[in-house]
Amino acid sequence: MTEELVRPTETVVPLLPCVSAEETVAFWRSLGFAVTWQQTRPYLYLAFRWSGFELHYGGAAAGVDPAAEQTGGCLVMVDAVAPYHAAFTEAMRGAYGKVLAKGRPRITRYRPGASRFSVVDPSGNTIIFIRRDEPQDLEYGGSKSLVGLARVLDNARILREFKSDDRAAFRALNSGLRRHGAQASAGEL
């Protein structure tokens, strides 16, 4: 008798909530994704493929507000993030005439040397592309060693780059300048 064994051949594909099938299909197609499955009846199911990964969508629960951007998300582990960001921003420019950096959908900025960036889809899901060998000591939450205006600048950078909140970054800078401007170095100012 042959016994069945668990073999490490699994593939996990996230099922993200979708608020609007039409907007979701249009967005991922604009980035160059192939639609591998598109069904709206009797239930919503969408599947997209690009390079070596897939994104799948099902219907969102009743009352989901995509503006809250708390619907779902997934991580895409890659060897290098810069080529992905470059491909997506080029596709956005071609489809929309600009890189979508605010609202939904959007892509976060990529700074040289960064190890991750995010794409937010029309339903408010966040797909985070992360370099597979991202350093363990990376501080995305702000450096604990900074003080005064340097810490304010770091906080404003996080608000702008990772949360895409220009208004909060502006308020943080104004407040920080009032509190720490007199003691700040010329470089910080």
Side-chain angles (χ1 to χ4, degrees):
M1 178 164 133
T2 305
E3 211 173 297
E4 290 187 31
L5 301 173
V6 174
R7 300 194 191 278
T9 59
E10 301 87 5
T11 300
V12 176
V13 179
L15 184 62
L16 301 168
C18 178
V19 175
S20 169
E22 297 79 22
E23 289 179 19
T24 301
V25 168
F27 174 67
W28 289 116
R29 274 191 173 146
S30 76
L31 293 188
F33 281 70
V35 178
T36 58
W37 192 264
Q38 184 173 353
Q39 170 182 317
T40 56
R41 297 206 188 291
Y43 56 87
L44 176 68
Y45 194 87
L46 305 172
F48 304 92
R49 180 179 297 130
W50 191 88
S51 184
F53 72 97
E54 296 183 18
L55 295 174
H56 289 223
Y57 286 82
V64 166
D65 179 12
E69 296 183 8
Q70 297 174 340
T71 49
C74 67
L75 306 177
V76 180
M77 308 303 282
V78 297
D79 292 334
V81 295
Y84 288 83
H85 193 272
F88 295 152
T89 56
E90 182 180 330
M92 276 185 184
R93 278 190 191 98
Y96 300 101
K98 64 180 181 176
V99 174
L100 304 175
K102 295 180 181 184
R104 278 181 341 277
R106 71 173 179 277
I107 189 169
T108 58
R109 286 184 180 178
Y110 175 77
R111 294 177 326 170
S115 59
R116 60 176 63 195
F117 72 91
S118 300
V119 174
V120 178
D121 71 15
S123 294
N125 297 295
T126 303
I127 294 79
I128 306 170
F129 291 79
I130 301 176
R131 194 176 76 207
R132 196 178 315 282
D133 64 347
E134 181 178 68
Q136 294 293 322
D137 59 348
L138 204 56
E139 293 188 32
Y140 277 103
S143 176
K144 308 268 187 272
S145 63
L146 297 175
V147 295
L149 193 56
R151 188 172 193 141
V152 170
L153 291 170
D154 192 44
N155 182 45
R157 175 188 62 83
I158 291 165
L159 289 167
R160 172 61 187 104
E161 299 293 331
F162 299 106
K163 299 190 183 277
S164 299
D165 193 341
D166 292 336
R167 189 178 181 123
F170 177 76
R171 286 193 307 258
L173 287 172
N174 271 347
S175 176
L177 281 170
R178 280 194 309 272
R179 282 183 284 156
H180 305 289
Q183 305 94 319
S185 72
E188 291 171 341
L189 290 173

